[in-house]
């Protein structure tokens, strides 16, 4: 299972033209089920994100999409894709407000984007316990 820290900086390549379209700079996550909702990207063309359903494959050197049309602009109605919503480096809080530490990395399924575990310093939280993520913190349910 890949870690997001290994994915950050990878090229986004078009299957239709074999051109490099963008570079991964961050991600947006969603709960129920816990998954990567979108990849935040840096590109010379318009657009700031690629929703996970547009990812065709995640390889060791690049991530492929069908075409440049798969790069979208975050208009605020979809998954937030700006820096404030990137969960890495955010506090991880339980639903009762206990601080578990800082989110260091995310392990996910390269095919589906489902989050397998949230990695903190000294402990891991199973991805199925993710309740939400925002500009301040990532919230988890601890049984």
């Amino acid at each position: 299972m890949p870690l997001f820290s290994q994915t950050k900086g990878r090229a986004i390549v078009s299957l239709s033209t074999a051109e490099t379209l963008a570079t991964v700079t961050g991600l947006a996550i969603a709960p129920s089920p816990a998954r990567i909702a979108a990849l935040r990207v840096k590109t010379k063309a318009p657009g700031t994100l690629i929703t996970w359903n547009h990812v065709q494959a995640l390889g060791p050197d690049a991530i492929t999409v069908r075409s440049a049309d798969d790069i979208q602009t975050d208009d605020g109605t979809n998954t937030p894709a700006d820096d404030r919503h990137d969960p890495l480096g955010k506090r991880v809080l339980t639903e009762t407000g206990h601080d578990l530490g800082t989110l260091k990395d995310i392990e996910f399924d390269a095919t589906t984007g489902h989050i397998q575990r949230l990695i903190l310093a000294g402990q891991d939280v199973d991805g199925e316990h993710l309740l939400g993520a925002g500009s301040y913190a990532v919230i988890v349910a601890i049984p």
Side-chain angles (χ1 to χ4, degrees):
M1 297 280 172
L3 298 175
F4 185 72
S5 61
Q6 299 166 335
T7 305
K8 195 169 185 176
R10 269 193 209 168
I12 304 290
V13 177
S14 166
L15 289 172
S16 63
T17 64
E19 289 181 274
T20 298
L21 303 172
T23 303
V24 176
T25 61
L27 77 159
I29 60 176
S32 299
R35 68 195 181 287
I36 296 176
L39 298 173
R40 200 172 73 248
V41 298
K42 180 178 180 182
T43 179
K44 293 177 186 171
T48 56
L49 72 107
I50 297 171
T51 57
W52 191 263
N53 61 324
H54 286 107
V55 171
Q56 297 300 305
L58 188 143
D61 299 318
I63 297 168
T64 57
V65 296
R66 289 196 194 283
S67 71
D69 294 338
D70 292 333
I71 300 175
Q72 303 168 10
T73 300
D74 181 30
D75 59 7
T77 60
N78 295 326
T79 302
D82 61 28
D83 287 343
R84 296 172 309 158
H85 290 88
D86 193 326
L88 297 180
K90 295 280 190 307
R91 296 173 70 183
V92 178
L93 303 174
T94 66
E95 59 192 326
T96 58
H98 289 88
D99 191 339
L100 299 178
T102 302
L103 184 61
K104 302 290 184 194
D105 216 334
I106 295 173
E107 181 183 59
F108 65 98
D109 183 295
T111 303
T112 64
H114 284 96
I115 294 172
Q116 302 301 309
R117 64 186 176 117
L118 303 171
I119 301 168
L120 293 76
Q123 71 174 318
D124 295 346
V125 175
D126 192 298
E128 69 184 33
H129 297 298
L130 176 69
L131 295 176
S135 61
Y136 178 71
V138 175
I139 308 299
V140 296
I142 300 297

